[in-house]
């Protein structure tokens, strides 16, 4: 991959960026992954790299009387989109069952990770997954993208995947009551109806050859499929009881363990 004066594997470039972030921000990165279309498996030829990371600060920063910034926006250009969240912010959002955090935790493209992160997610944060919250998230994502991008006669085919993927995620959640796979192919193999498989496969073949801004005629059978499922999952999510875990203690305990360990590593 060519990037300014760098030519080489993207993973090496991301690891260089992680080192820069740690040195200049005085943090320690715990987990860094690809997010977005490259992690989902339907990137366009000119898609950028969406790198997301979780980091830990020094203990003294968390004990400070003034508020500390809980995110880092590191780089945004035509090649790289790099930003991350403080571990404390990430755990607060796990408590809310934020679907984005579960996607970062389960991304198939991992640039860097640590034992602390793996243990924290598998043993603690993963238990805060909420079926209702996840359904609302993916329904909302599908509904927003459908109404914004797929109602005209000519549409960007990439936007179909920004609607189909969350709909299939809803199907997975309804059936398996667990975080859905990040890869689109994993979702289609598991929950896509057989009669829709050739339609979606044909769409994918066309889409991977198109640039981000290319448009083509909308596909009526897909629009009908989307509208039917949007109506169904809106009703399902609204009628479901709240299943979020109210307690903080497991997350609080794990945060202190990781913080103490990370502080003593400095």
């Amino acid at each position: 991959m060519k990037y300014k004066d760098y030519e080489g594997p993207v993973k090496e470039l991301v690891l260089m960026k992680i080192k820069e972030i740690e040195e200049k921000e005085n943090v320690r990165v715990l987990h860094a992954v690809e997010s977005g279309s490259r992690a989902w498996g339907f990137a366009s030829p000119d898609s950028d790299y969406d790198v997301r990371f979780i980091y830990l600060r020094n203990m003294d920063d968390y004990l400070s009387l003034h508020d500390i910034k809980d995110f880092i926006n590191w780089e945004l250009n035509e090649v790289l989109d790099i930003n991350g969240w403080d571990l404390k912010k990430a755990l607060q959002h796990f408590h809310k069952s934020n679907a984005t955090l579960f996607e970062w935790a389960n991304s198939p493209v991992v640039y860097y990770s640590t034992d602390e992160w793996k243990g924290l997610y598998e043993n603690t944060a993963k238990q805060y997954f909420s079926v209702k919250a996840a359904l609302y998230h993916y329904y909302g994502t599908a509904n927003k993208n459908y109404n914004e991008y797929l109602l005209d006669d000519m549409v960007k085919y990439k936007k179909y995947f920004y609607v189909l993927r969350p709909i299939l995620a809803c199907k997975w959640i309804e059936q398996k009551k667990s975080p859905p796979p990040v890869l689109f192919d994993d979702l289609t193999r598991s929950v896509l109806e057989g009669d829709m498989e050739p339609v979606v496969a044909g769409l994918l073949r066309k889409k991977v050859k198109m640039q981000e801004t290319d448009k083509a005629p909308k596909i009526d059978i897909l629009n009908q499929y989307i509208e039917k499922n949007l109506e169904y999952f809106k009703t399902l999510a609204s009628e479901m009881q709240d299943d979020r875990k109210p307690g903080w203690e497991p997350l609080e305990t794990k945060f202190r363990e990781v913080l103490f360990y990370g502080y003593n590593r400095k």
Side-chain angles (χ1 to χ4, degrees), residues 60-89:
D60 287 347
D61 289 332
Y62 295 106
L63 296 175
S64 173
L65 292 177
H66 62 81
D67 293 334
I68 59 170
K69 186 174 68 172
D70 60 4
F71 64 91
I72 295 173
N73 288 332
W74 189 251
E75 190 160 358
L76 178 60
N77 52 52
E78 68 279 0
V79 177
L80 296 174
D81 177 355
I82 305 177
N83 63 70
W85 284 10
D86 186 292
L87 177 61
K88 183 176 180 179
K89 177 177 183 175

Side-chain angles (χ1 to χ4, degrees), residues 2-258:
K2 188 171 183 181
Y3 168 79
K4 296 182 180 178
D5 295 328
Y6 173 85
E7 251 186 285
V10 64
K11 184 170 184 177
E12 290 184 9
L13 175 61
V14 172
L15 291 176
M16 289 167 50
K17 293 294 180 181
I18 288 173
K19 188 173 179 62
E20 287 179 14
I21 292 166
E22 290 184 324
E23 291 176 351
K24 295 183 179 180
E25 294 284 340
N26 193 29
V27 300
R28 189 161 67 86
V29 172
L30 300 176
H31 189 62
V33 300
E34 182 68 24
S35 176
S37 61
R38 289 188 180 275
W40 299 335
F42 49 77
S44 300
D46 56 343
S47 292
D48 62 1
Y49 291 86
D50 298 309
V51 181
R52 301 292 179 262
F53 62 92
I54 306 295
Y55 63 89
L56 183 71
R57 291 191 176 276
N58 286 313
M59 188 179 292
D60 287 347
D61 289 332
Y62 295 106
L63 296 175
S64 173
L65 292 177
H66 62 81
D67 293 334
I68 59 170
K69 186 174 68 172
D70 60 4
F71 64 91
I72 295 173
N73 288 332
W74 189 251
E75 190 160 358
L76 178 60
N77 52 52
E78 68 279 0
V79 177
L80 296 174
D81 177 355
I82 305 177
N83 63 70
W85 284 10
D86 186 292
L87 177 61
K88 183 176 180 179
K89 177 177 183 175
L91 295 183
Q92 289 170 337
H93 280 263
F94 270 124
H95 185 263
K96 300 175 184 177
S97 190
N98 184 311
T100 299
L101 266 296
F102 286 97
E103 294 213 354
W104 293 1
N106 293 299
S107 174
V109 183
V110 179
Y111 295 117
Y112 176 81
S113 197
T114 60
D115 289 340
E116 298 115 292
W117 172 263
K118 294 170 186 174
L120 185 155
Y121 176 70
E122 289 295 333
N123 300 328
T124 306
K126 190 176 181 179
Q127 314 310 315
Y128 282 79
F129 178 77
S130 160
V131 171
K132 184 181 179 77
L135 280 176
Y136 261 126
H137 168 83
Y138 286 109
Y139 159 76
T141 300
N143 187 60
K144 179 176 184 294
N145 281 301
Y146 180 68
N147 284 289
E148 286 188 11
Y149 301 112
L150 295 177
L151 298 182
D152 295 332
D153 292 334
M154 299 292 289
V155 298
K156 296 178 182 178
Y157 278 8
K158 183 174 184 177
K159 297 302 182 182
Y160 271 116
F161 293 94
Y162 281 83
V163 176
L164 288 171
R165 182 180 171 273
I167 283 176
L168 296 182
C170 286
K171 290 180 179 291
W172 173 284
I173 294 162
E174 180 187 17
Q175 294 176 22
K176 303 179 186 295
K177 309 295 190 293
S178 66
V182 175
L183 274 173
F184 184 74
D185 282 352
D186 290 345
L187 285 168
T188 58
R189 283 194 295 268
S190 298
V191 298
L192 181 64
E193 295 86 344
D195 61 331
M196 294 301 297
E197 288 178 1
V199 179
V200 173
L203 175 67
L204 185 57
R205 285 194 298 270
K206 295 175 184 177
K207 187 265 166 201
V208 295
K209 298 176 183 178
M210 300 171 71
Q211 300 296 312
E212 293 278 346
T213 57
D214 290 348
K215 290 186 176 183
K218 71 177 179 182
I219 304 171
D220 289 335
I221 189 172
L222 279 178
N223 284 53
Q224 293 165 10
Y225 176 80
I226 289 166
E227 290 174 2
K228 176 182 176 181
N229 279 280
L230 286 176
E231 182 179 354
Y232 173 76
F233 285 113
K234 179 181 181 181
T235 301
L236 180 66
S238 65
E239 294 178 350
M240 188 174 292
Q241 289 188 339
D242 190 350
D243 62 331
R244 287 175 295 179
K245 291 184 67 167
W248 282 92
E249 185 175 351
L251 290 172
E252 294 273 16
T253 300
K254 202 64 182 178
F255 174 64
R256 294 189 184 100
E257 288 177 3
V258 173

